[in-house]
Amino acid sequence: MWFVLAGVVLLALKLIDISPVAAWSWWIILAPFALAAAWWAYADASGFTQRKVMKQMDDKKAARRDKQMEALGQFDPNKKKRR
């Protein structure tokens, strides 16, 4: 996401002719978009994206379980959780 943001900023600066960026080559301006595409390809191929989604789902499930246990009056925040 940072690469895309940097690319959009550089592209905007190039199009409105802001001083040092206006003189740069188009290859430099468009490079962050290529880096973003490469990062997304790597993240998907390595499973990074899927692991991150699974971690978020596990965290939501644990929070929901804790909330339900607290509503039942069976939640003790000082008790160590078993895994």
Side-chain angles (χ1 to χ4, degrees), residues 35-79:
L35 290 172
W39 166 251
W40 285 329
Y42 167 74
D44 287 342
S46 69
F48 176 76
T49 305
Q50 187 64 30
R51 283 192 306 271
K52 191 172 180 180
V53 169
M54 288 173 56
K55 172 73 170 129
Q56 288 174 347
M57 286 176 41
D58 289 343
D59 291 345
K60 284 182 183 179
K61 188 185 334 179
R64 186 172 54 242
R65 182 181 181 278
D66 290 345
K67 183 179 176 184
Q68 290 172 350
M69 294 298 283
E70 186 175 342
L72 291 171
Q74 298 179 358
F75 181 71
D76 184 9
N78 296 327
K79 187 176 179 181

